[in-house]
Amino acid sequence: MTTLERARRQLKAHPMALDATLAAGVLICMVAGSFVDPHGKGGVSWGVRTPDFLSLVLMALGAAALVFRRRAPMRILVLTGTLSVVEGITGDPRAPVAMSAVVALYTVGSTTDRPTTWRVGLLTMTVLTGAAMLAGPLPWYAQENLAIFAWTGMAAAGGDAVRSRRDFVHAIRERAEKAERTREEEARRRVAEERLRIARDLHDVVAHHIALVNVQAGVAAHVMDKRPDQAKEALAHVREASRSALNELRATVGLLRQSDDPEAPTEPAPGLDRLEELVGTFRSAGLHIEVARADHDTTLPAAVDLAAYRVIQEALTNVQKHAGAAAKAEVSVVRVGPDIEITVLDNGTGEDDGPGTGGGHGLLGMRERVTALRGTLTTGPRYGGGFRVHAILPVKTRSGPAKDPV
């Protein structure tokens, strides 16, 4: 860091010291200018005139006032303007006290808005120039009078330009900071959504396959001694369900890998084309299921297809876990206009896994999946016993939230 940059930073850190330095420089310029005679015989000459005592006092007061220009710019302008008017009327020869008013007017322009700057600037130009022209000792067309007019105008314009540039830079910086905050918030939102989606997938996979493993393991333990062949079959189903669980868990966790990882999964997400395979795993666990489809070979978007599969999977898992050993389930997939309707019914007597039970997240996960696609999900007990899950998913996905029916 150079000496000049270090001094500049120190002055910015101590604005009063900077204003005092500026006031001292203005005083030196005013005193030096008071000795210049622009009307000498040979042109501008030095040392041919001496300012009177009143002019020296007015210059000292004007320079001292500039020390406080940041605290009260308008008051300092009034004070320095008054001193300049007094000097313009009484000074002979005249001293450049108006220089302090020029600096004060610049300060006003750099700290206030544009309309105020131009109103105050025009008033200052009119008062100082008019007083010098009408009541001063020099002719109205003297160059000193025209200089007052020019310098006050440039001070107002310069102060306004500095303020405009400062506001422009501040606006750009604020816009950049806001954009950065927006990007960070968007990134956090996307991360939260992705984590929620992965959590739903993990829940669906674990709940479905572990429920099947639990049922088949219970069957195997029950018939191990009396019917070993059936126990072997049940254990085979346990092995198959656990293998499927591991595969799907591996595929889900693979989403967290880097894009260039060669072990990242390439198998597509499950959909309604695997409905028979899904139902077969439940049937092998002893659950009686009837399936009816009237979707007319509808091609669904990947998100809708996955959501429909997961809704059926979770609903059947709840039937398996809570509806009782003798429960039966009915699954229907119907295309109705622009929507696909999924219905899962059971005649069980147990309680389904839902938010109201306080223990599971199955229905909550289904509702989040369906709502994310602007669909609707209704769940609740059936008249006469059992439970009903009904989801309506749009065939064409849309963005934005949707309201769920109560």
Side-chain angles (χ1 to χ4, degrees):
M1 182 184 297
T2 63
T3 304
L4 181 60
E5 292 178 351
R6 189 180 298 108
R8 183 184 302 172
R9 290 191 175 184
Q10 291 178 354
L11 290 176
K12 286 184 177 180
H14 302 84
M16 184 67 75
L18 176 61
D19 292 338
T21 303
L22 175 64
V26 171
L27 179 61
I28 293 174
C29 292
M30 288 192 296
V31 172
S34 64
F35 286 92
V36 177
D37 183 11
H39 302 288
K41 294 181 180 180
V44 177
S45 58
W46 292 81
V48 297
R49 69 176 186 179
T50 302
D52 54 19
F53 179 75
L54 179 60
S55 297
L56 292 176
V57 172
L58 294 176
M59 285 186 289
L61 292 176
L66 294 179
V67 178
F68 307 97
R69 68 188 183 95
R70 297 178 190 267
R71 296 186 178 182
M74 201 67 71
R75 295 181 181 179
I76 297 302
L77 175 61
V78 172
L79 176 59
T80 55
T82 302
L83 297 176
S84 301
V85 170
V86 173
E87 171 62 22
I89 295 175
T90 63
D92 190 17
R94 185 185 298 171
V97 181
M99 186 178 296
S100 61
V102 169
V103 176
L105 180 58
Y106 167 84
T107 304
V108 171
S110 63
T111 55
T112 59
D113 56 278
R114 177 166 296 175
T116 302
T117 298
W118 288 114
R119 284 196 297 267
V120 174
L122 288 174
L123 180 62
T124 304
M125 293 167 59
T126 302
V127 172
L128 297 185
T129 307
M133 288 182 174
L134 299 178
L138 299 177
W140 68 270
Y141 53 83
Q143 62 181 3
E144 288 89 341
N145 299 336
L146 299 178
I148 293 175
F149 180 83
W151 280 106
T152 51
M154 287 189 293
D160 180 71
V162 170
R163 179 198 55 77
S164 298
R165 183 181 181 278
R166 184 171 58 244
D167 292 345
F168 177 73
V169 172
H170 177 72
I172 292 178
R173 185 180 295 111
E174 188 178 35
R175 191 180 301 115
E177 293 175 354
K178 183 178 180 180
E180 184 65 23
R181 290 194 302 269
T182 302
R183 283 195 296 270
E184 292 177 357
E185 293 173 358
E186 178 67 16
R188 287 194 295 267
R189 185 185 66 80
R190 290 179 179 273
V191 169
E193 290 180 352
E194 183 66 14
R195 291 176 61 185
L196 180 61
R197 186 182 67 81
I198 294 175
R200 287 198 300 259
D201 286 341
L202 287 174
H203 172 269
D204 294 341
V205 170
V206 171
H208 167 59
H209 291 290
I210 296 303
L212 294 180
V213 168
N214 180 60
V215 172
Q216 296 292 351
V219 172
H222 181 69
V223 300
M224 179 66 71
D225 296 330
K226 297 180 179 180
R227 286 175 288 179
D229 293 338
Q230 187 175 352
K232 291 181 180 180
E233 183 180 355
L235 291 176
H237 289 308
V238 169
R239 183 172 60 253
E240 182 64 27
S242 61
R243 183 185 299 111
S244 298
L246 289 175
N247 291 335
E248 293 203 28
L249 283 173
R250 187 180 298 110
T252 302
V253 175
L255 296 174
L256 303 177
R257 297 179 181 272
Q258 299 295 329
S259 59
D260 56 350
D261 194 333
E263 297 182 3
T266 58
E267 182 181 356
L272 292 180
D273 57 336
R274 295 175 56 181
L275 179 59
E276 290 299 327
E277 177 183 347
L278 173 66
V279 172
T281 60
F282 284 99
R283 286 172 175 166
S284 64
L287 179 62
H288 180 74
I289 305 174
E290 295 181 1
V291 179
R293 298 189 64 172
D295 48 351
H296 309 296
D297 298 328
T298 303
T299 301
L300 299 176
V304 177
D305 203 18
L306 176 61
Y309 180 88
R310 293 304 188 193
V311 166
I312 297 174
Q313 181 186 52
E314 183 60 35
L316 292 178
T317 300
N318 288 340
V319 174
Q320 183 73 54
K321 291 164 60 177
H322 304 290
K328 296 181 180 180
E330 299 177 6
V331 178
S332 67
V333 181
V334 182
R335 171 70 182 270
V336 180
D339 302 321
I340 190 84
E341 295 191 10
I342 309 295
T343 306
V344 180
L345 307 174
D346 70 80
N347 60 350
T349 58
E351 292 185 353
D352 263 76
D353 176 22
T357 65
H361 302 277
L363 295 183
L364 178 61
M366 282 193 286
R367 190 173 302 279
E368 290 174 347
R369 284 184 180 277
V370 173
T371 303
L373 299 173
R374 290 187 59 87
T376 58
L377 177 73
T378 55
T379 60
R382 298 174 61 194
Y383 179 77
F387 204 81
R388 177 177 182 268
V389 175
H390 180 68
I392 301 177
L393 296 169
V395 174
K396 295 183 179 179
T397 57
R398 295 165 290 177
S399 60
K403 296 182 179 179
D404 286 337
V406 179

